Structure formats: C-alpha cells, structure tokens
Amino acid sequence: MPRARPASSSKSTPSNPLKRPLPPNPTDPNTLTPPARQSKRLKSSPLTSSTTKITPKKSQYFSHSSTSEPESEIEAEASGYEDEDASVSAVSSPPVSDDEEDEEDGVSSEEDKKPRRKAKGRIVKKPASNGKSAANGVAANAKAIIEKGKELWRPGVKSDLAPGEEVFIKLPKARSDGGVKYKEGIIHPNTMLFLGDLKENNDREWLKIHDADYRQSKKDFDAFVEKMTEKMTEIDETIPELPPKDLTFRIYRDIRFSSDPTPYKTHFSAAWSRTGRKGPYAGYYLQIKPSGSFIGGGLWCPEAAPLAAMRRDIDRKSHKLRSVLLDPAMRKEFLGGIPKDEKKAVKAFVEQNKENALKTKPKGYDAENPNIALLRLRNYTAGRKLSDDEVVGPKAPERIAALMAALTPFITHLNSVVMPDNPGSNDSESDSEEGDDAEESAEDVQSE
C-alpha cells in the first residue's frame, strides 16, 4: 500500500534570511503577491470566482456632516478620484504582464489627451447656527452703524417739516446799483467793490454764494472791453476786432506750482494783440483792481527766438529803440516824465524790466558792449499804475485809450523786430546801413 502524504500545514515555515527566495509561480494563486503598480483600468481576476469589496478610505481633507441626515444625490455620485472607486482587493488581482502594461499605458495616455469633465464637488452642509448668536451679531452691527453715524453727524437746519413738505431757499441776488445805473463801456463802482470783497474772501464757498455779484461784475467788464476794442482798432490798425472771450483772462489761478493756495485772481484783465490775448506778438495789457489797476504793453517773457531777435536788433541798430523811448508821450506817461535825455530814458526803461534780467552778459556778446544794459533784459515792456478814478467813471475809456496810443510806437517797433511783416526787409535794411557806414568811413579816410 502506498504511503500517505502528510497534510500540508497552512502555516508557512520560516525562511532563511540568507537564502534567496524563489520567484512566485504565476499559476499558483496562493503564491501571488501584490503588483508593483495598480493599473487605472481595473480588471477582474480570471482565477477568482468571487471578489471581496473593500470600503475605500476617504481623504482627511473632506469634512463630514455630523448630522444623521441621508446624503444628497450629489454626495452619492463618484468624486472623480479613481483610487477611491477601487472595489477589488489588491490581493485578488492577478499580476499584469509587460505587454498588458504597455497596452494599458497607451490607452491611458490617449484618455489623458481627451478633455475630462470636471469632477462634481461635494456639498457640505453647515450645522444650524444658534439663534442667540445670530441675534447678537445683528445687534453688534446695528450698534456700529449708529456710532458711525454719530461721528459723521453735524448740526443742520431744523425746519419741523411734515412728510412730503419741501423748503426752497432763494438764491442771493446781486447788490443794488446804489443809484448809479449800469452803462455799457463804463466800469461800474460795484465791479470794484466785488473785487475788493473777493480779495478778503478768496475761497470757493464765498464765491459760490456771491455768484450773482461775480456774473454782474464780469458782464460789466466784458462790456467795457468790447468798447475798448473799438477804440483799439482805431489806434492800432493791426489789432483785429475780436469778441471779449478772446481778449479777457480767466479769474481762476493756476496753483499747481504756486505757494499761494488762493483759487482766484483778485482782478479783471484783458490783452489786445494781432492774435488776441495769446500769441507771439507784442500787445497791450489792461488790469483793473481796487488801488491796483495797471496798463502797459510790450513783450513779457518771450521765447528764445524772439528774445534772440531783440538782442540782435539792439546790438546792430540800438538807435531805433532809443528813439522810441525818447518819444514825448512815452516819456511823459510811462518813463516818469523824464526830460529828453537818451541815457535817462534807457535807465528808466531798464529799471522797469530788471525783475528777471541777467546778472552778467548774454551768451555771444561782449561785456564791454555799449548796449549791455539793454542786452541783459529778458522783458521789453513799459507800464504804469492807474488810480481808481482813471478806471471808474465816464472819462475812463478816453483816458485809457490815450495811454494805449502812447504805447503804439513802442509796440509797433517790437513787432517789426520779432514778427516782421516782410522778414527779408530788416536784413536788407541792415545790409544797406552797413554799406552806407562803410562808404562814409572810406570817404573820411580819403579826405584825411
């Protein structure tokens, strides 16, 4: 009788740690080991007839509801993580060959290229808040709002109005004429009073309240400028007849680069030239202000090209400017009534324009030049102050027109230098004068 084999024990004998283990038999299910990599596409094992489902582990970053309410439909759906949906044990899955792994890798790479639908997130229900805490939060917010309102509150007008009632406040009217009627072309005394009040109250709130006075005064000055324009066209034929808006200056100051923060000028002003108040031409200027009115004309801070032209003309033909300064009306009204003396006239003219004159000689000119005092200037203007009686009243237009007429030869000379009507005429004249001087000097030499 053959000898029976002893039953194999379920317990495996301890292996020798120094002995190299044998590779597992792929046909023996008892010797299978978990694969090194779990495929994304899970296949059922052909060797096992039944599979054991394992509850997937959930991530610690998902919060779970503490209530016993059933999960919603969104929670019942898959989360999109394939590791959580694994339903087959790693022990029950067979080993995968290299060919199958390559095929699976190719399929997975193709699937990765396809656009995937975004995974639906889980809806986490928050536990119901306590009613008392919510009420306390609302009360705290209401208290904060009330305190904020107290900080912004300031006293106003108590009108005791019923619901739906309104209060209409009349706008202030301009001051009365005081018995002196407004006339076009004549400055009214109220215009000077307004400018005086603006000097003492130079702020936006005050001008907003007294807007009626400002508009009345501005209208009065514009009418005066319009009448003066008619006279200016008769005095200087080069002055065009332009509307007041092209001649008058704004009352608003440019305070961007000024240390004075006051927003308004305390005077009304206008200028007449061939192009109005703006342009490269020399022109006439008028400013009215209580105890500070002014009239003048000339070139104020000209650009580099006109300034160079003036210096070149003074260096070559200074006798022209000197003759203009010696005009009787010019000396009487704008040079302090000096006698007919060329040196005194030049000295008085330089004194009026010394504000931003050069301390040394200009570039390109000798310090010993006989006209160095005139060459150092950067402004070429003449002006004088006006009393209030010369501005206000029916005689003011005629007085101002006479002063403008005294400036006309001076303005005409400046424009002939910086903006000549015939640019080549000055050069030809200078060449002819230089030729005449050369001939005279030659004759003197021959006579000697």
Side-chain angles (χ1 to χ4, degrees):
M1 173 182 279
R3 189 176 179 180
R5 291 182 180 180
S8 61
S9 176
S10 61
K11 297 181 179 181
S12 61
T13 59
S15 61
N16 188 1
L18 301 178
K19 187 177 180 180
R20 183 178 180 181
L22 297 175
N25 187 2
T27 60
D28 188 2
N30 295 327
T31 60
L32 293 177
T33 58
R37 181 174 60 85
Q38 179 70 21
S39 175
K40 293 183 178 180
R41 297 182 64 187
L42 301 176
K43 297 181 179 180
S44 61
S45 175
L47 301 178
T48 56
S49 58
S50 62
T51 57
T52 304
K53 294 185 177 182
I54 300 175
T55 303
K57 295 182 180 180
K58 295 184 179 181
S59 173
Q60 60 179 345
Y61 300 103
F62 286 88
S63 59
H64 306 283
S65 176
S66 59
T67 59
S68 60
E69 297 179 0
E71 294 183 350
S72 62
E73 295 179 358
I74 297 179
E75 292 178 344
E77 295 181 359
S79 63
Y81 292 92
E82 296 177 359
D83 293 340
E84 293 182 2
D85 297 336
S87 60
V88 182
S89 173
V91 179
S92 63
S93 61
V96 183
S97 63
D98 296 337
D99 296 337
E100 292 177 351
E101 289 179 0
D102 294 339
E103 292 177 2
E104 292 175 1
D105 292 339
V107 174
S108 62
S109 62
E110 292 178 0
E111 291 180 354
D112 292 338
K113 293 179 181 179
K114 297 179 181 180
R116 296 183 178 181
R117 295 177 63 186
K118 294 183 179 180
K120 298 181 180 180
R122 296 176 180 269
I123 296 178
V124 181
K125 295 184 178 181
K126 297 182 180 180
S129 59
N130 190 3
K132 293 183 178 180
S133 61
N136 293 336
V138 173
N141 292 337
K143 185 177 180 181
I145 293 173
I146 293 173
E147 294 297 330
K148 184 75 174 178
K150 288 182 179 179
E151 295 176 0
L152 301 177
W153 179 88
R154 61 180 182 179
V157 178
K158 295 182 180 180
S159 58
D160 297 331
L161 295 177
E165 294 183 354
E166 296 178 350
V167 174
F168 294 92
I169 301 176
K170 295 182 179 180
L171 292 176
K173 297 181 179 180
R175 59 164 55 96
S176 61
D177 56 11
V180 180
K181 300 298 182 180
Y182 282 90
K183 296 181 180 180
E184 293 185 1
I186 299 176
I187 299 296
H188 195 274
N190 283 350
T191 301
M192 304 296 282
L193 291 176
F194 166 76
L195 293 173
D197 294 341
L198 180 60
K199 182 180 180 181
E200 299 177 359
N201 306 277
N202 198 337
D203 60 79
R204 302 181 189 277
E205 294 295 333
W206 184 89
L207 187 62
K208 186 182 296 184
I209 296 174
H210 296 80
D211 182 70
D213 290 333
Y214 164 69
R215 294 184 181 278
Q216 183 64 49
S217 301
K218 185 67 168 63
K219 182 180 178 181
D220 184 48
F221 181 71
D222 288 347
F224 176 78
V225 170
E226 188 173 1
K227 184 174 183 179
M228 286 303 307
T229 302
E230 298 176 1
K231 295 183 176 297
M232 291 300 302
T233 55
E234 298 174 0
I235 295 171
D236 190 345
E237 60 182 8
T238 63
I239 300 299
E241 190 171 353
L242 298 175
K245 67 182 184 64
D246 295 331
L247 303 174
T248 58
F249 294 90
R250 300 176 64 198
I251 198 173
Y252 306 98
R253 293 182 64 250
D254 186 1
I255 60 175
R256 292 176 297 175
F257 308 103
S258 176
S259 58
D260 184 5
T262 52
Y264 305 112
K265 303 173 186 175
T266 57
H267 61 266
F268 288 140
S269 56
W272 293 265
S273 73
R274 297 186 184 184
T275 55
R277 70 175 183 274
K278 298 180 180 179
Y281 293 95
Y284 307 85
Y285 177 77
L286 175 65
Q287 167 185 309
I288 66 169
K289 177 182 179 181
S291 303
S293 298
F294 178 84
I295 187 173
L299 285 173
W300 175 260
C301 295
E303 296 182 356
L307 181 60
M310 279 298 305
R311 287 173 174 170
R312 183 170 58 252
D313 184 78
I314 292 172
D315 183 43
R316 296 178 180 179
K317 299 171 288 184
S318 63
H319 63 277
K320 290 188 175 183
L321 178 60
R322 294 173 184 271
S323 63
V324 170
L325 298 179
L326 289 176
D327 183 77
M330 184 73 172
R331 290 186 289 108
K332 178 182 178 181
E333 302 294 348
F334 295 97
L335 297 181
I338 60 174
K340 189 177 181 180
D341 189 339
E342 187 175 287
K343 291 184 179 180
K344 292 183 179 181
V346 171
K347 183 178 180 180
F349 180 76
V350 171
E351 187 70 18
Q352 290 189 19
N353 296 275
K354 68 177 183 179
E355 180 181 357
N356 59 348
L358 295 177
K359 301 298 182 182
T360 59
K361 64 182 182 65
K363 185 178 180 180
Y365 295 94
D366 189 6
E368 302 299 330
N369 193 304
N371 301 307
I372 191 62
L374 295 173
L375 293 173
R376 289 173 179 168
L377 301 179
R378 291 181 178 176
N379 300 329
Y380 294 91
T381 62
R384 55 159 293 176
K385 292 183 178 181
L386 295 175
S387 62
D388 293 348
D389 295 336
E390 292 178 302
V391 175
V392 180
K395 297 181 180 180
E398 297 297 332
R399 173 59 178 164
I400 293 175
L403 294 174
M404 294 293 190
L407 285 172
T408 301
F410 176 64
I411 300 299
T412 303
H413 170 69
L414 295 180
N415 284 328
S416 66
V417 174
V418 298
M419 297 294 292
D421 295 332
N422 298 320
S425 61
N426 290 340
D427 296 336
S428 60
E429 289 177 3
S430 62
D431 294 340
S432 62
E433 289 179 0
E434 290 177 358
D436 295 340
D437 295 341
E439 292 178 359
E440 292 177 0
S441 61
E443 293 176 357
D444 294 340
V445 170
Q446 291 177 1
S447 62
E448 291 178 357

